[in-house]
Amino acid sequence: MRYNYSTRPCSCGSGRTHYPLHDGHGIFLTYACESCEKEKLSKFRPDILEQYECDEPLDGDFY
Ligand SMILES: [Zn+2]
């Protein structure tokens, strides 16, 4: 059975389709829709979407 998240309504209750949000490195953050994207992103670092500097290697095992 195939699970397609793109057709699921967002958990915020807006009824809009949600989609995955990623940071500047393409790392998954959370799901959000057009209604709550800014609100959910505000809980992360303000520069999360930028290619921020990081001392830790980010090309490790994520999966
Ligand atoms: Zn939402």
Side-chain angles (χ1 to χ4, degrees):
M1 184 172 173
R2 200 169 165 181
Y3 177 72
N4 188 352
Y5 61 80
S6 65
T7 60
R8 305 267 302 177
C10 185
S11 60
C12 73
S14 69
R16 291 171 179 264
T17 301
H18 71 177
Y19 43 81
L21 298 178
H22 300 84
D23 73 359
H25 290 279
I27 299 172
F28 172 77
L29 298 174
T30 185
Y31 287 104
C33 68
E34 295 177 5
S35 294
C36 65
E37 179 177 342
K38 288 184 178 179
E39 179 186 340
K40 291 191 174 179
L41 284 178
S42 70
K43 297 176 182 175
F44 294 95
R45 290 170 49 161
D47 61 345
I48 194 75
L49 299 179
E50 307 296 331
Q51 292 284 344
Y52 53 83
E53 296 293 328
C54 187
D55 293 331
E56 300 178 19
L58 293 174
D59 56 351
D61 296 322
F62 285 105
Y63 304 106

